[in-house]
Amino acid sequence: MTDVLGSHPDIEVVGEAVDDAQAVACVQSLRPSVVLMDIRMPLVDGIEATRRIFEDPNNADVRDLILTTFEEDENVVSPIRAGASGFIGKGAELEDIVKAVLAVYDGDALLSPVATRALITRYVAEVPRNSSAGTPHFPELEQLTVREQEVLVLVARGFSNTDIAEHLQISPYTSKTHVNRIMDKVQAHDRAQLVVLAYESGLLTPGQQN
C-alpha cells in the first residue's frame, strides 16, 4: 500500500509506523498532513493512538483517516470523538484508498460525508440511553445561532458546502464560513465530529430527513 500511495504524484509518504508509539512519534516529528491509521494495531488500537495524537494541539491540522473493517469494529463513534476525519474499509481497492487520502487532505468532503453519516447513524442509534439521567445537555449548541444549527443539521445529513449553499440559497463562501464558525464554537476537529454532535444531542435523529 505504501508503494501505491507513494507513486501517486500528489502524495508523498513521509513515514511509517508499526505501533501506536511509533505513530505518535512520527506525527510529532514529521507533522504530516494526513495519517492513515489502522484501527487494529499492536499494543493499543488505532483509536487510542488517534486520541494521543490529538492531545497535542500542535496536531490540530492533521487529518486522521481510519483504516477499518466495518463489519468487525463495533464502535465507529469513538474514533470520531478521538479526532478521526473519516473511515475507509480494509477491503477497499487501493485506488479508492488513494482517493480517500486525497479527499481527507482536501478537508471538504472528508471521505464521503454521506458514508460517514450512515455509519454514525447506525451506531449512535445503538448507544445506550440512561433514562434516569434525563435529557443530555449540550451547552455548545447554545452558542450557535438558529442558522448555524440549521447548517449543522445539513452537515450531519451529508451535505457538502456546495450542497448547503444551494439548499439555503447562499453563496458557497458563506456556507463554508458557517461551517468553520460552527466547528470553532463547538471545538470540533472536523465535519465528522459535527455529525456525532448533531445525532448525540438529538438535533438530528436517525432516519430524519428534514
CSV table of all heavy atoms in Angstrom, one decimal, residues 31-82:
chain,number,residue,atom,x,y,z
A,31,ARG,N,5.1,15.9,11.3
A,31,ARG,CA,3.9,16.8,11.0
A,31,ARG,C,3.3,16.5,9.7
A,31,ARG,O,3.2,17.4,8.8
A,31,ARG,CB,4.3,18.3,11.1
A,31,ARG,CG,5.0,18.7,12.4
A,31,ARG,CD,4.0,18.5,13.6
A,31,ARG,NE,4.6,19.0,14.8
A,31,ARG,CZ,4.0,18.8,16.0
A,31,ARG,NH1,2.9,18.2,16.1
A,31,ARG,NH2,4.7,19.2,17.1
A,32,PRO,N,2.8,15.3,9.4
A,32,PRO,CA,2.2,15.0,8.1
A,32,PRO,C,0.8,15.7,8.0
A,32,PRO,O,0.2,16.1,9.0
A,32,PRO,CB,2.0,13.5,8.2
A,32,PRO,CG,1.8,13.2,9.7
A,32,PRO,CD,2.7,14.2,10.4
A,33,SER,N,0.4,15.8,6.8
A,33,SER,CA,-1.0,16.4,6.5
A,33,SER,C,-2.1,15.4,6.8
A,33,SER,O,-3.1,15.7,7.3
A,33,SER,CB,-1.1,16.9,5.1
A,33,SER,OG,-0.1,17.8,4.8
A,34,VAL,N,-1.8,14.1,6.5
A,34,VAL,CA,-2.8,13.0,6.7
A,34,VAL,C,-2.1,11.8,7.3
A,34,VAL,O,-1.0,11.5,6.9
A,34,VAL,CB,-3.4,12.6,5.3
A,34,VAL,CG1,-4.3,11.4,5.5
A,34,VAL,CG2,-4.1,13.8,4.6
A,35,VAL,N,-2.8,11.2,8.2
A,35,VAL,CA,-2.3,9.9,8.8
A,35,VAL,C,-3.3,8.9,8.4
A,35,VAL,O,-4.5,9.0,8.6
A,35,VAL,CB,-2.3,10.0,10.4
A,35,VAL,CG1,-2.0,8.7,11.0
A,35,VAL,CG2,-1.3,11.1,10.8
A,36,LEU,N,-2.8,7.8,7.9
A,36,LEU,CA,-3.7,6.6,7.5
A,36,LEU,C,-3.5,5.6,8.7
A,36,LEU,O,-2.4,5.0,8.8
A,36,LEU,CB,-3.3,6.0,6.2
A,36,LEU,CG,-4.1,4.8,5.7
A,36,LEU,CD1,-5.6,5.2,5.6
A,36,LEU,CD2,-3.6,4.3,4.4
A,37,MET,N,-4.5,5.5,9.6
A,37,MET,CA,-4.3,4.8,10.8
A,37,MET,C,-5.1,3.5,10.8
A,37,MET,O,-6.3,3.5,10.6
A,37,MET,CB,-4.8,5.7,12.0
A,37,MET,CG,-4.8,5.0,13.3
A,37,MET,SD,-3.1,4.9,14.0
A,37,MET,CE,-2.8,6.7,14.4
A,38,ASP,N,-4.4,2.4,11.0
A,38,ASP,CA,-5.1,1.1,11.1
A,38,ASP,C,-5.8,1.0,12.5
A,38,ASP,O,-5.1,1.3,13.5
A,38,ASP,CB,-4.1,-0.1,11.0
A,38,ASP,CG,-4.7,-1.4,10.8
A,38,ASP,OD1,-5.9,-1.6,11.2
A,38,ASP,OD2,-4.1,-2.3,10.2
A,39,ILE,N,-7.0,0.7,12.5
A,39,ILE,CA,-7.8,0.7,13.8
A,39,ILE,C,-7.3,-0.5,14.7
A,39,ILE,O,-7.4,-0.4,15.9
A,39,ILE,CB,-9.3,0.6,13.6
A,39,ILE,CG1,-10.0,1.1,14.8
A,39,ILE,CG2,-9.7,-0.9,13.2
A,39,ILE,CD1,-11.5,1.2,14.6
A,40,ARG,N,-6.7,-1.5,14.1
A,40,ARG,CA,-6.2,-2.6,14.9
A,40,ARG,C,-4.6,-2.6,14.8
A,40,ARG,O,-4.1,-3.0,13.8
A,40,ARG,CB,-6.7,-3.9,14.4
A,40,ARG,CG,-8.2,-4.0,14.5
A,40,ARG,CD,-8.8,-5.4,14.0
A,40,ARG,NE,-10.2,-5.4,14.1
A,40,ARG,CZ,-10.9,-5.8,15.1
A,40,ARG,NH1,-10.2,-6.1,16.2
A,40,ARG,NH2,-12.2,-5.8,15.1
A,41,MET,N,-4.0,-2.2,15.9
A,41,MET,CA,-2.6,-2.1,16.0
A,41,MET,C,-2.0,-2.8,17.2
A,41,MET,O,-2.8,-3.1,18.1
A,41,MET,CB,-2.1,-0.6,16.1
A,41,MET,CG,-2.5,0.3,14.9
A,41,MET,SD,-2.0,2.0,15.1
A,41,MET,CE,-0.2,1.8,14.9
A,42,PRO,N,-0.7,-3.2,17.2
A,42,PRO,CA,-0.2,-3.8,18.3
A,42,PRO,C,-0.2,-2.9,19.5
A,42,PRO,O,-0.2,-1.6,19.4
A,42,PRO,CB,1.3,-4.1,17.9
A,42,PRO,CG,1.2,-4.1,16.4
A,42,PRO,CD,0.2,-3.1,16.0
A,43,LEU,N,-0.1,-3.4,20.7
A,43,LEU,CA,-0.1,-2.6,22.0
A,43,LEU,C,-1.4,-2.0,22.3
A,43,LEU,O,-2.2,-2.4,23.1
A,43,LEU,CB,1.1,-1.6,22.0
A,43,LEU,CG,2.5,-2.2,21.7
A,43,LEU,CD1,3.5,-1.2,21.8
A,43,LEU,CD2,2.7,-3.3,22.8
A,44,VAL,N,-1.7,-0.8,21.6
A,44,VAL,CA,-3.0,-0.2,21.7
A,44,VAL,C,-3.6,0.0,20.4
A,44,VAL,O,-2.9,-0.1,19.4
A,44,VAL,CB,-3.0,1.1,22.5
A,44,VAL,CG1,-2.4,1.0,23.9
A,44,VAL,CG2,-2.2,2.2,21.7
A,45,ASP,N,-4.9,0.1,20.3
A,45,ASP,CA,-5.6,0.2,19.0
A,45,ASP,C,-5.4,1.6,18.4
A,45,ASP,O,-4.9,2.6,19.0
A,45,ASP,CB,-7.1,-0.2,19.1
A,45,ASP,CG,-7.9,0.7,20.0
A,45,ASP,OD1,-7.5,1.9,20.2
A,45,ASP,OD2,-8.9,0.2,20.6
A,46,GLY,N,-5.9,1.7,17.1
A,46,GLY,CA,-5.8,3.0,16.4
A,46,GLY,C,-6.6,4.1,17.0
A,46,GLY,O,-6.3,5.3,16.8
A,47,ILE,N,-7.7,3.8,17.7
A,47,ILE,CA,-8.5,4.8,18.4
A,47,ILE,C,-7.7,5.5,19.4
A,47,ILE,O,-7.6,6.8,19.5
A,47,ILE,CB,-9.7,4.2,19.0
A,47,ILE,CG1,-10.6,3.5,17.9
A,47,ILE,CG2,-10.5,5.3,19.7
A,47,ILE,CD1,-11.8,2.8,18.5
A,48,GLU,N,-7.0,4.7,20.3
A,48,GLU,CA,-6.2,5.4,21.3
A,48,GLU,C,-5.0,6.1,20.7
A,48,GLU,O,-4.6,7.2,21.2
A,48,GLU,CB,-5.7,4.3,22.3
A,48,GLU,CG,-4.8,4.8,23.4
A,48,GLU,CD,-5.5,5.8,24.3
A,48,GLU,OE1,-6.7,5.8,24.4
A,48,GLU,OE2,-4.8,6.7,24.9
A,49,ALA,N,-4.4,5.6,19.7
A,49,ALA,CA,-3.3,6.3,19.0
A,49,ALA,C,-3.8,7.6,18.5
A,49,ALA,O,-3.1,8.6,18.6
A,49,ALA,CB,-2.7,5.4,17.9
A,50,THR,N,-4.9,7.6,17.9
A,50,THR,CA,-5.5,8.8,17.3
A,50,THR,C,-5.7,9.8,18.5
A,50,THR,O,-5.4,11.0,18.3
A,50,THR,CB,-6.8,8.5,16.6
A,50,THR,OG1,-6.6,7.7,15.5
A,50,THR,CG2,-7.5,9.8,16.2
A,51,ARG,N,-6.3,9.4,19.6
A,51,ARG,CA,-6.5,10.2,20.7
A,51,ARG,C,-5.2,10.9,21.2
A,51,ARG,O,-5.2,12.0,21.5
A,51,ARG,CB,-7.2,9.4,21.8
A,51,ARG,CG,-7.6,10.3,23.1
A,51,ARG,CD,-8.3,9.5,24.1
A,51,ARG,NE,-9.6,9.0,23.6
A,51,ARG,CZ,-9.9,7.7,23.2
A,51,ARG,NH1,-9.0,6.8,23.4
A,51,ARG,NH2,-11.1,7.4,22.8
A,52,ARG,N,-4.2,10.1,21.3
A,52,ARG,CA,-2.9,10.6,21.8
A,52,ARG,C,-2.3,11.6,20.8
A,52,ARG,O,-1.7,12.6,21.2
A,52,ARG,CB,-1.9,9.4,21.9
A,52,ARG,CG,-2.3,8.5,23.1
A,52,ARG,CD,-1.3,7.3,23.2
A,52,ARG,NE,-1.8,6.4,24.3
A,52,ARG,CZ,-1.1,5.3,24.6
A,52,ARG,NH1,-0.1,4.9,23.9
A,52,ARG,NH2,-1.6,4.5,25.6
A,53,ILE,N,-2.5,11.4,19.5
A,53,ILE,CA,-2.0,12.3,18.5
A,53,ILE,C,-2.7,13.7,18.7
A,53,ILE,O,-2.0,14.7,18.7
A,53,ILE,CB,-2.3,11.8,17.1
A,53,ILE,CG1,-1.3,10.7,16.8
A,53,ILE,CG2,-2.2,13.0,16.1
A,53,ILE,CD1,-1.6,10.0,15.5
A,54,PHE,N,-4.0,13.7,18.9
A,54,PHE,CA,-4.7,15.0,19.0
A,54,PHE,C,-4.8,15.6,20.4
A,54,PHE,O,-5.4,16.6,20.6
A,54,PHE,CB,-6.1,14.8,18.5
A,54,PHE,CG,-6.1,14.6,17.0
A,54,PHE,CD1,-6.5,13.4,16.4
A,54,PHE,CD2,-5.7,15.6,16.1
A,54,PHE,CE1,-6.4,13.2,15.0
A,54,PHE,CE2,-5.7,15.4,14.8
A,54,PHE,CZ,-6.0,14.2,14.2
A,55,GLU,N,-4.1,14.9,21.4
A,55,GLU,CA,-3.9,15.5,22.7
A,55,GLU,C,-3.0,16.7,22.5
A,55,GLU,O,-3.0,17.6,23.4
A,55,GLU,CB,-3.3,14.5,23.7
A,55,GLU,CG,-4.4,13.5,24.2
A,55,GLU,CD,-3.8,12.5,25.2
A,55,GLU,OE1,-2.5,12.5,25.2
A,55,GLU,OE2,-4.5,11.8,25.8
A,56,ASP,N,-2.1,16.7,21.5
A,56,ASP,CA,-1.2,17.8,21.2
A,56,ASP,C,-1.9,18.8,20.3
A,56,ASP,O,-2.2,18.5,19.2
A,56,ASP,CB,0.1,17.2,20.6
A,56,ASP,CG,1.1,18.3,20.4
A,56,ASP,OD1,0.8,19.5,20.5
A,56,ASP,OD2,2.3,17.9,20.0
A,57,PRO,N,-2.1,20.0,20.8
A,57,PRO,CA,-2.8,21.0,20.0
A,57,PRO,C,-2.0,21.3,18.7
A,57,PRO,O,-2.6,21.9,17.8
A,57,PRO,CB,-2.9,22.2,20.9
A,57,PRO,CG,-1.9,22.0,22.0
A,57,PRO,CD,-1.8,20.5,22.2
A,58,ASN,N,-0.8,21.1,18.7
A,58,ASN,CA,0.0,21.3,17.5
A,58,ASN,C,-0.4,20.4,16.3
A,58,ASN,O,0.0,20.7,15.2
A,58,ASN,CB,1.5,21.1,17.8
A,58,ASN,CG,2.1,22.2,18.7
A,58,ASN,OD1,1.7,23.4,18.6
A,58,ASN,ND2,3.0,21.8,19.6
A,59,ASN,N,-1.1,19.4,16.6
A,59,ASN,CA,-1.5,18.4,15.6
A,59,ASN,C,-2.9,18.7,15.1
A,59,ASN,O,-3.5,17.9,14.4
A,59,ASN,CB,-1.4,17.0,16.1
A,59,ASN,CG,0.0,16.6,16.4
A,59,ASN,OD1,0.9,17.0,15.8
A,59,ASN,ND2,0.1,15.7,17.4
A,60,ALA,N,-3.5,19.8,15.5
A,60,ALA,CA,-4.9,20.2,15.1
A,60,ALA,C,-5.2,20.1,13.6
A,60,ALA,O,-6.3,19.8,13.2
A,60,ALA,CB,-5.3,21.5,15.7
A,61,ASP,N,-4.2,20.4,12.8
A,61,ASP,CA,-4.4,20.5,11.4
A,61,ASP,C,-4.2,19.1,10.7
A,61,ASP,O,-4.4,19.0,9.5
A,61,ASP,CB,-3.5,21.5,10.7
A,61,ASP,CG,-3.8,22.9,11.1
A,61,ASP,OD1,-5.0,23.2,11.5
A,61,ASP,OD2,-2.9,23.8,11.1
A,62,VAL,N,-3.7,18.1,11.5
A,62,VAL,CA,-3.5,16.8,10.9
A,62,VAL,C,-4.9,16.1,10.6
A,62,VAL,O,-5.8,16.2,11.4
A,62,VAL,CB,-2.7,15.9,11.9
A,62,VAL,CG1,-2.6,14.5,11.3
A,62,VAL,CG2,-1.3,16.5,12.1
A,63,ARG,N,-5.0,15.5,9.5
A,63,ARG,CA,-6.2,14.7,9.2
A,63,ARG,C,-5.9,13.2,9.4
A,63,ARG,O,-4.9,12.7,9.0
A,63,ARG,CB,-6.6,14.9,7.7
A,63,ARG,CG,-7.0,16.4,7.4
A,63,ARG,CD,-8.1,16.9,8.3
A,63,ARG,NE,-8.5,18.2,7.9
A,63,ARG,CZ,-9.3,19.0,8.7
A,63,ARG,NH1,-9.9,18.5,9.7
A,63,ARG,NH2,-9.6,20.2,8.3
A,64,ASP,N,-6.8,12.6,10.1
A,64,ASP,CA,-6.6,11.2,10.5
A,64,ASP,C,-7.7,10.3,9.8
A,64,ASP,O,-8.9,10.5,10.1
A,64,ASP,CB,-6.7,11.0,12.0
A,64,ASP,CG,-6.4,9.6,12.5
A,64,ASP,OD1,-7.3,8.8,12.5
A,64,ASP,OD2,-5.2,9.4,12.8
A,65,LEU,N,-7.2,9.4,9.0
A,65,LEU,CA,-8.1,8.5,8.2
A,65,LEU,C,-8.0,7.1,8.8
A,65,LEU,O,-6.9,6.5,8.8
A,65,LEU,CB,-7.8,8.5,6.7
A,65,LEU,CG,-8.6,7.6,5.8
A,65,LEU,CD1,-10.0,8.0,5.8
A,65,LEU,CD2,-8.0,7.7,4.4
A,66,ILE,N,-9.1,6.6,9.3
A,66,ILE,CA,-9.1,5.3,9.9
A,66,ILE,C,-9.3,4.2,8.9
A,66,ILE,O,-10.3,4.2,8.1
A,66,ILE,CB,-10.2,5.2,11.0
A,66,ILE,CG1,-9.9,6.2,12.1
A,66,ILE,CG2,-10.3,3.7,11.6
A,66,ILE,CD1,-8.8,5.8,13.0
A,67,LEU,N,-8.3,3.2,8.9
A,67,LEU,CA,-8.4,2.0,8.1
A,67,LEU,C,-9.1,0.9,8.9
A,67,LEU,O,-8.5,0.5,9.9
A,67,LEU,CB,-7.0,1.6,7.6
A,67,LEU,CG,-6.9,0.5,6.6
A,67,LEU,CD1,-7.6,0.9,5.3
A,67,LEU,CD2,-5.5,0.1,6.3
A,68,THR,N,-10.3,0.5,8.5
A,68,THR,CA,-11.0,-0.4,9.4
A,68,THR,C,-11.8,-1.5,8.7
A,68,THR,O,-11.9,-1.5,7.4
A,68,THR,CB,-12.0,0.5,10.2
A,68,THR,OG1,-12.7,-0.4,11.2
A,68,THR,CG2,-13.1,1.1,9.3
A,69,THR,N,-12.4,-2.4,9.4
A,69,THR,CA,-13.3,-3.4,8.9
A,69,THR,C,-14.6,-3.1,9.5
A,69,THR,O,-14.8,-3.5,10.7
A,69,THR,CB,-12.8,-4.8,9.2
A,69,THR,OG1,-12.5,-4.9,10.6
A,69,THR,CG2,-11.6,-5.2,8.4
A,70,PHE,N,-15.5,-2.5,8.8
A,70,PHE,CA,-16.8,-2.0,9.4
A,70,PHE,C,-17.6,-3.2,10.0
A,70,PHE,O,-18.3,-3.0,11.0
A,70,PHE,CB,-17.6,-1.3,8.3
A,70,PHE,CG,-17.0,-0.1,7.8
A,70,PHE,CD1,-16.9,0.1,6.4
A,70,PHE,CD2,-16.5,0.9,8.6
A,70,PHE,CE1,-16.4,1.2,5.9
A,70,PHE,CE2,-15.9,2.0,8.1
A,70,PHE,CZ,-15.8,2.2,6.7
A,71,GLU,N,-17.5,-4.4,9.4
A,71,GLU,CA,-18.3,-5.5,9.9
A,71,GLU,C,-17.8,-6.0,11.2
A,71,GLU,O,-18.5,-6.8,11.9
A,71,GLU,CB,-18.4,-6.6,8.8
A,71,GLU,CG,-17.0,-7.3,8.6
A,71,GLU,CD,-16.1,-6.6,7.6
A,71,GLU,OE1,-16.5,-5.4,7.2
A,71,GLU,OE2,-15.2,-7.2,7.1
A,72,GLU,N,-16.5,-5.7,11.6
A,72,GLU,CA,-15.9,-6.2,12.8
A,72,GLU,C,-15.8,-5.2,13.9
A,72,GLU,O,-16.0,-5.5,15.1
A,72,GLU,CB,-14.6,-6.8,12.5
A,72,GLU,CG,-14.6,-8.0,11.6
A,72,GLU,CD,-13.2,-8.6,11.3
A,72,GLU,OE1,-12.3,-8.1,11.9
A,72,GLU,OE2,-13.1,-9.4,10.4
A,73,ASP,N,-15.5,-4.0,13.5
A,73,ASP,CA,-15.3,-2.9,14.5
A,73,ASP,C,-16.6,-2.3,14.9
A,73,ASP,O,-17.3,-1.7,14.2
A,73,ASP,CB,-14.4,-1.8,14.0
A,73,ASP,CG,-13.0,-2.4,13.7
A,73,ASP,OD1,-12.5,-3.1,14.5
A,73,ASP,OD2,-12.5,-2.1,12.6
A,74,GLU,N,-17.0,-2.6,16.2
A,74,GLU,CA,-18.4,-2.3,16.6
A,74,GLU,C,-18.5,-0.8,17.0
A,74,GLU,O,-19.7,-0.3,17.0
A,74,GLU,CB,-18.7,-3.1,17.9
A,74,GLU,CG,-18.8,-4.6,17.6
A,74,GLU,CD,-19.1,-5.4,18.8
A,74,GLU,OE1,-19.1,-4.8,19.9
A,74,GLU,OE2,-19.3,-6.6,18.6
A,75,ASN,N,-17.5,-0.1,17.2
A,75,ASN,CA,-17.6,1.3,17.6
A,75,ASN,C,-16.9,2.2,16.7
A,75,ASN,O,-15.7,2.2,16.6
A,75,ASN,CB,-17.0,1.5,19.0
A,75,ASN,CG,-17.4,2.8,19.6
A,75,ASN,OD1,-17.8,3.7,18.9
A,75,ASN,ND2,-17.3,2.9,20.9
A,76,VAL,N,-17.7,3.0,15.9
A,76,VAL,CA,-17.1,3.9,15.0
A,76,VAL,C,-17.2,5.4,15.5
A,76,VAL,O,-16.7,6.3,14.9
A,76,VAL,CB,-17.7,3.9,13.6
A,76,VAL,CG1,-17.5,2.5,12.9
A,76,VAL,CG2,-19.2,4.2,13.6
A,77,VAL,N,-18.0,5.5,16.6
A,77,VAL,CA,-18.1,6.8,17.2
A,77,VAL,C,-16.8,7.2,17.9
A,77,VAL,O,-16.4,8.4,17.9
A,77,VAL,CB,-19.3,6.9,18.1
A,77,VAL,CG1,-19.5,8.2,18.8
A,77,VAL,CG2,-20.6,6.6,17.4
A,78,SER,N,-16.2,6.3,18.6
A,78,SER,CA,-15.0,6.6,19.4
A,78,SER,C,-13.9,7.2,18.6
A,78,SER,O,-13.3,8.1,19.0
A,78,SER,CB,-14.5,5.3,20.2
A,78,SER,OG,-15.4,4.9,21.2
A,79,PRO,N,-13.6,6.6,17.4
A,79,PRO,CA,-12.6,7.3,16.6
A,79,PRO,C,-12.9,8.7,16.2
A,79,PRO,O,-12.0,9.6,16.2
A,79,PRO,CB,-12.5,6.4,15.3
A,79,PRO,CG,-13.0,5.1,15.8
A,79,PRO,CD,-14.1,5.4,16.8
A,80,ILE,N,-14.2,9.0,15.9
A,80,ILE,CA,-14.5,10.4,15.6
A,80,ILE,C,-14.3,11.3,16.8
A,80,ILE,O,-13.8,12.4,16.7
A,80,ILE,CB,-16.0,10.4,15.2
A,80,ILE,CG1,-16.2,9.7,13.8
A,80,ILE,CG2,-16.5,11.9,15.0
A,80,ILE,CD1,-15.5,10.3,12.7
A,81,ARG,N,-14.7,10.8,18.0
A,81,ARG,CA,-14.5,11.6,19.2
A,81,ARG,C,-13.0,11.8,19.4
A,81,ARG,O,-12.6,12.9,19.9
A,81,ARG,CB,-15.1,10.9,20.4
A,81,ARG,CG,-16.6,10.8,20.5
A,81,ARG,CD,-17.1,10.4,21.8
A,81,ARG,NE,-18.5,10.3,21.9
A,81,ARG,CZ,-19.1,9.1,22.2
A,81,ARG,NH1,-18.4,8.0,22.4
A,81,ARG,NH2,-20.4,9.1,22.3
A,82,ALA,N,-12.2,10.8,19.1
A,82,ALA,CA,-10.8,10.9,19.3
A,82,ALA,C,-10.1,11.9,18.3
A,82,ALA,O,-9.0,12.4,18.5
A,82,ALA,CB,-10.1,9.6,19.1
